[in-house]
Structure formats: structure tokens, C-alpha cells
Amino acid sequence: MDQLRETLKGHHLRTTTCREDVLSTFINKKNALSHGDLEGVLGENYDRVTIYRTLKTFLEKGIIHKVLDDEGLRYALCSQNCSEEKHHHDHIHFKCNECGETNCLENLHIPAVQLPKGYQPENFNLLIQGICPNCK
Amino acid sequence: MDQLRETLKGHHLRTTTCREDVLSTFINKKNALSHGDLEGVLGENYDRVTIYRTLKTFLEKGIIHKVLDDEGLRYALCSQNCSEEKHHHDHIHFKCNECGETNCLENLHIPAVQLPKGYQPENFNLLIQGICPNCK
DNA sequence: GTTCATTTGCAACAGAGTTGCACACCATTT
DNA sequence: AAATGGTGTGCAACTCTGTTGCAAATGAAC
């Protein structure tokens, strides 16, 4: 519980129950979550709008990052300590076509790609879809 | 013009003016297009809903595929001849942070990634964001 | 405990995408 | 060329997702 407060403080955020609950939901469920997922869990306690704003704040402060698949937008915890200034974002995400869960594969790096002349890459995002170990 | 009819027929679709126009828009503009983009070009001639349904049909038949970036959903022509049964989708997309355009990099392959045990990949989607040659 | 800035809830709104239904159109048959 | 049947289109209404403005509530610092 204090862990939550620490994290929030570390990112220069006031501790509020909503923020604590959203953060702990991310920590407990390990996979990427959509706004709808969070609303499902916390919707009784907090307003839709508040959850949207919490996500937006977390994004800006570098606590979470966006995860995209063909179904839409989700969010996941940043592994490295991202901050407002510096986001680390060369992610590999694996989406299971069976259970629908999306997870960050933290330890992997995206292999170098030889881009055609003139392209100046800034960040990389690899989405792999398939079957996850749990569904195999 | 006959080219369009051929393509539609090849995917078992009736030729209608809307489908021809949507298809030729994709062929002329080479980058990925959102529903909104198409509505901007063709909205005077066709209903919003019709454009949605055309996109859905094209997706199902394998004429176009989804492209996602942090701003939302777009569509681009399938390079290979995809069909209803078989989509070929190991794509690299490059989104320019300057002009906002997203393009498929057709000729590149995604290098192999060493996945942890138990992960069974089916397809890969790499989104690279940065500056494109035109905006450099 | 008071204070002030920040956060929250509510209501209203905006945009994206969907559904049902009647009419129009395409391709096929005669 | 006209009739036919199945498919596609336009319209209206709706749902879902996300946003904005404002007043009331709350957190942190004094």
C-alpha cells in the first residue's frame, strides 16, 4: 500500500484513492488494460471521467504507456522508471488470439531493421499475435 | 478503371461505384487512410455508413488491412493477394511524426525475434515512428 | 484547523462506429 | 429488353468511447 504512495509521489502526483486503486489494478492484473476493463473493476467506486483522467495523468507522468492492437487501445505499466521527460518505449507486446490478453515482453529487444534511405526512426513498437503459454 | 472491376471481381464482390471509388482512393493516395480521410474525399457522394460498410467488406475479403498507430485506426491495401481465407500480415508501418502519414514498408521483413518458451507467434506487426524522407 | 491548489463527480457534449429497415441497384435469367 | 432475387445503399436512430466546463470535495502544507 505504501508502495503505491511511493510510486505516485515519485512521479509527482498526489495520492488519491482513485489513483491508488487504478495503479494497484495495473499491478495485480499483469496484462494490458483498457479503460473499459478498469471501469469494469472500479466503475462502482469512481466516475468514468475520473478514470479517463487518471489514465491521462498516468500517461503524461510516465507511469503507463499505450498498447495498441487491432481491437483498440490499452495501457500497461512502464517497466523502466519513465518520467514526464523521458519515456522508454521500444516495446514488444504479445497478444493472445485465444484469451485476448496482451502482455509486455519486457526482456526482449526489437532487432534492428534496415530502413530505406531517408527514414529517421524514433521509436519502435512490435505487436506479435499468436497463442500464449497459458492457452497452448 | 477495368483494373478496379477486376480486383473487386477477384475478391467476389459486386462492382458498385462506391466500392470503385474507395478502392481507387486507396490506390491513388499511397498511404494508409482512416474512415475520416475517405469521408473527406467521398463524403459528398456516399453516406458515412456506406463507407464504413465498404471498409468492413474490404477487410473481410482481404483487399485492405488495419493499420494502428497511437492516433487511431487506419487502413491500407494488402500488397499480396490476400483472400477471405488467408491474410498475409507481417507488416512494417512507418508513421511520420511530422506530416502524420503512415505508410507500409513493403519490401522489408521483420527480423526474427526469440520469444520466451511457450509463445506461439502467428503474425507480426511493427510500427516505427519517426521522420519520413519527405519531412526531413 | 485553515487555506489553496488539485482532483472529482456530474451533466452535457462530440465523434466514431453500429443497426434496422425501406428503397435502389447489380447481375442473372428468361 | 424486362422481370427477378439477392445484395448494397441511404436515412434515422442509437450505442460506445472519449472530452470539456463547472461546482463541490479532497489532499498537502502551513
Side-chain angles (χ1 to χ4, degrees), chain A residues 82-127:
Chain A
C82 289
S83 69
E84 206 157 353
E85 301 82 35
K86 195 187 170 187
H87 278 267
H88 161 90
H89 279 324
D90 293 358
H91 280 290
I92 300 189
H93 295 117
F94 190 94
K95 184 192 170 197
C96 179
N97 291 328
E98 196 72 22
C99 63
E101 282 193 7
T102 302
N103 287 285
C104 291
L105 302 179
E106 300 288 6
N107 302 322
L108 298 182
H109 290 285
I110 298 180
V113 180
Q114 190 64 36
L115 288 174
K117 265 190 188 171
Y119 286 92
Q120 212 165 81
E122 285 171 2
N123 55 56
F124 298 79
N125 235 295
L126 178 59
L127 174 70

Side-chain angles (χ1 to χ4, degrees), chain A residues 30-116:
Chain A
K30 301 225 159 186
N31 53 312
L33 301 173
S34 66
H35 173 269
D37 295 332
L38 288 162
E39 205 185 330
V41 181
L42 304 172
E44 306 257 312
N45 307 319
Y46 308 105
D47 193 81
R48 267 168 17 90
V49 178
T50 303
I51 298 175
Y52 275 115
R53 288 196 263 228
T54 303
L55 287 171
K56 202 174 180 180
T57 307
F58 281 11
L59 264 183
E60 287 165 4
K61 299 294 180 182
I63 297 177
I64 58 176
H65 63 272
K66 291 186 181 183
V67 182
L68 285 137
D69 61 40
D70 56 343
E71 288 182 75
L73 179 56
R74 294 181 201 200
Y75 304 89
L77 286 175
C78 293
S79 56
Q80 269 74 8
N81 283 350
C82 289
S83 69
E84 206 157 353
E85 301 82 35
K86 195 187 170 187
H87 278 267
H88 161 90
H89 279 324
D90 293 358
H91 280 290
I92 300 189
H93 295 117
F94 190 94
K95 184 192 170 197
C96 179
N97 291 328
E98 196 72 22
C99 63
E101 282 193 7
T102 302
N103 287 285
C104 291
L105 302 179
E106 300 288 6
N107 302 322
L108 298 182
H109 290 285
I110 298 180
V113 180
Q114 190 64 36
L115 288 174

Side-chain angles (χ1 to χ4, degrees), chain B residues 53-67 73-76 78 82-84 87 89:
Chain B
R53 288 197 263 228
T54 303
L55 287 171
K56 201 174 184 182
T57 307
F58 280 11
L59 263 182
E60 285 167 4
K61 298 295 178 178
I63 297 179
I64 58 176
H65 63 273
K66 290 186 183 183
V67 182
L73 179 55
R74 296 180 200 201
Y75 304 89
C78 292
C82 290
S83 70
E84 207 157 353
H87 278 266
H89 280 324

